[in-house]
Amino acid sequence: MNKELFGTDFKWGVSTAAFQIEGGCDAEGKGPSIWDIFSNIKGKIKDGHHANTACDFYNIYERDLDLVQHLHIPNFRFSLAWSRIMPTGLKPVNQKGLDYYDRVIDGCLERGIEPWPTLYHWDLPHALELKGGWTNRDVVNWFSDFTEVCAKQYGDRIKHWMVMNEPMVFTGAGYFLGLHAPGRTGLKNFFPAIHHAVLSMAEGGRVLRDLCPQAEIGTTFSCSHVEPYSQRAWDKSAANRADILFNRLFIEPILGLGYPDKELSLLKGIRKYMLPGDEDKMPFDFDFIGIQTYTREVIRFSLLTPYLHAKLVKAENRNVPLTSMKWEVYPEGIYPIIKKYNAYPQIKKIYITENGSAFPDAVVQGQVDDQERLAYLQTSLEQVLKAKNEGCKVEGYFVWTLTDNFEWAEGYHPRFGLVHVDFNSQERIIKSSGKWYAGFLKP
Ligand code: BGC
């Protein structure tokens, strides 16, 4: 396989997120985000890991951008930490925080790398969480002010923006299951958070379009191919309900189709948080949709799961190969997911803005020979190519991720990087997968 098969305009890249790599948790006026608070509460993160320093990208970003260049990766996706730019989430701005991303963006451009910022990758300013966070409808205005600040500051150099990263994960894990920051639970938090995230995503798109009319504007969604545990009717309908929740809940209101609550009546609870006129504010005509996928999910009927009557059959109980996340190694899942999103005529263009795998890499004589990750990557790309050759509008692929980093509630255990990190010395080693990607991308 060679990259020419994907066409000359295909966007190749690598993705990262501020909180997972930067560290510099209180550097130069940065305010705490919900993740700074959450990750320093005992028991929330595996083995008490926190991200106060993480990969130290805040200080050594130039070294890592050199690596991106060295690996011939033309597009670098990163996120802007809201509380670095606006320490309380609201004005006034922190000039030093603004300057930092100027340096990161300029550092990309000087190296011939295209910067692809995401405005929100889960790190809400803690001060806003104290006002209710995503459950408070005012978040739509807070977020649109933040978007405006970023668009005005960086818009002259940014050709591709992403508004949000995976709203289903930060609302589901953060406001329903309590496994992620801010650790809230229950439908009374989940439903308003969903609706305000949808409104903010669309509003963020409108602000960017207004201030950066030349830029390409997108947003990203988590998605997983869902299969029923058996062909029995009740497992199939359980799988359909899970599919609505995992794969359709956020994209459909954005595309103007409304919440998929006719098929999953549980979601009717969102209506309580809707005001007259909201239906018109939920859609936005994004230039591209970023889809991010890692594995597949197998679902069976269960009376014991309230509301949904469906449960995951864990990969560890299915006798399948596992990644360090205990997810099934199933790179083939990217193909049906592309097909599924491709079937929405309202979607103009798809980029795979994250795809990757975590394995327990070993450093042997200064080398990391991560053959499993390499195979995963190659199979994924074959599947993307297959979908593209069948006419799907998939136009880009970004590996998750550049360096091993802070994997949220799992701490530093799962390693997803193309580049290995020693978190004591901050030493980097390019893994075999990274070398392969570099060779594949080499002009
Ligand atoms: C997120 C990343 C995360 C990755 C692997 C995605 O859900 O956007 O932040 O590290 O998956 O879990």
Side-chain angles (χ1 to χ4, degrees), residues 184-443:
R184 296 213 219 176
T185 54
L187 294 176
K188 68 177 188 308
N189 289 311
F190 188 38
F191 285 154
I194 291 172
H195 186 52
H196 302 145
V198 167
L199 291 174
S200 299
M201 199 156 40
E203 195 52 32
R206 283 186 279 272
V207 172
L208 288 174
R209 172 88 31 93
D210 189 34
L211 295 172
C212 312
Q214 307 300 330
E216 192 178 38
I217 299 161
T219 194
T220 80
F221 299 97
S222 52
C223 32
S224 292
H225 175 55
V226 170
E227 284 180 20
Y229 180 69
S230 78
Q231 289 310 308
R232 292 190 199 102
W234 50 85
D235 281 340
K236 282 166 107 175
S237 61
N240 183 47
R241 290 192 293 279
D243 180 58
I244 293 169
L245 200 58
F246 298 163
N247 297 320
R248 297 174 47 194
L249 171 57
F250 281 90
I251 183 78
E252 295 198 355
I254 287 294
L255 297 180
L257 302 169
Y259 292 112
D261 58 5
K262 283 167 212 75
E263 287 169 77
L264 186 60
S265 58
L266 153 74
L267 298 176
K268 293 207 167 94
I270 301 174
R271 290 188 190 171
K272 186 173 154 199
Y273 302 93
M274 292 176 68
L275 296 181
D278 278 4
E279 296 276 2
D280 298 332
K281 294 182 186 153
M282 284 151 51
F284 179 71
D285 185 23
F286 282 103
D287 299 312
F288 70 91
I289 293 300
I291 61 180
Q292 322 200 140
T293 186
Y294 289 86
T295 187
R296 72 170 154 188
E297 303 295 358
V298 173
I299 304 291
R300 71 185 304 178
F301 176 79
S302 161
L303 258 187
L304 300 177
T305 320
Y307 319 115
L308 200 58
H309 300 314
K311 74 167 194 187
L312 281 178
V313 184
K314 287 187 185 166
E316 47 198 305
N317 299 329
R318 287 193 269 120
N319 195 24
V320 290
L322 301 179
T323 70
S324 309
M325 298 293 283
K326 299 205 172 120
W327 297 342
E328 180 182 0
V329 179
Y330 193 70
E332 294 82 358
I334 201 167
Y335 171 79
I337 277 293
I338 296 173
K339 287 281 199 185
K340 182 178 183 72
Y341 280 71
N342 190 67
Y344 289 109
Q346 300 89 342
I347 294 181
K348 296 180 193 157
K349 191 192 278 187
I350 294 170
Y351 294 134
I352 308 299
T353 40
E354 284 183 23
N355 177 240
S357 52
F359 292 105
D361 303 320
V363 181
V364 180
Q365 294 175 335
Q367 305 286 323
V368 179
D369 191 20
D370 58 335
Q371 290 301 322
E372 289 165 296
R373 181 174 298 100
L374 179 44
Y376 178 97
L377 213 60
Q378 289 175 335
T379 306
S380 287
L381 290 181
E382 282 162 18
Q383 300 293 318
V384 174
L385 184 59
K386 181 169 145 199
K388 186 166 171 52
N389 286 341
E390 288 170 12
C392 291
K393 47 203 165 192
V394 54
E395 300 290 344
Y397 178 91
F398 288 60
V399 176
W400 182 266
T401 180
L402 179 65
T403 55
D404 296 335
N405 62 31
F406 179 78
E407 178 51 37
W408 308 110
E410 302 300 316
Y412 295 98
H413 296 292
R415 292 180 174 270
F416 276 92
L418 295 171
V419 176
H420 183 274
V421 174
D422 176 326
F423 290 101
N424 293 315
S425 65
Q426 294 297 345
E427 196 195 327
R428 273 66 168 149
I429 300 170
I430 301 173
K431 303 178 192 175
S432 296
S433 59
K435 291 180 188 163
W436 178 81
Y437 198 43
F440 177 79
L441 295 179
K442 195 165 185 223

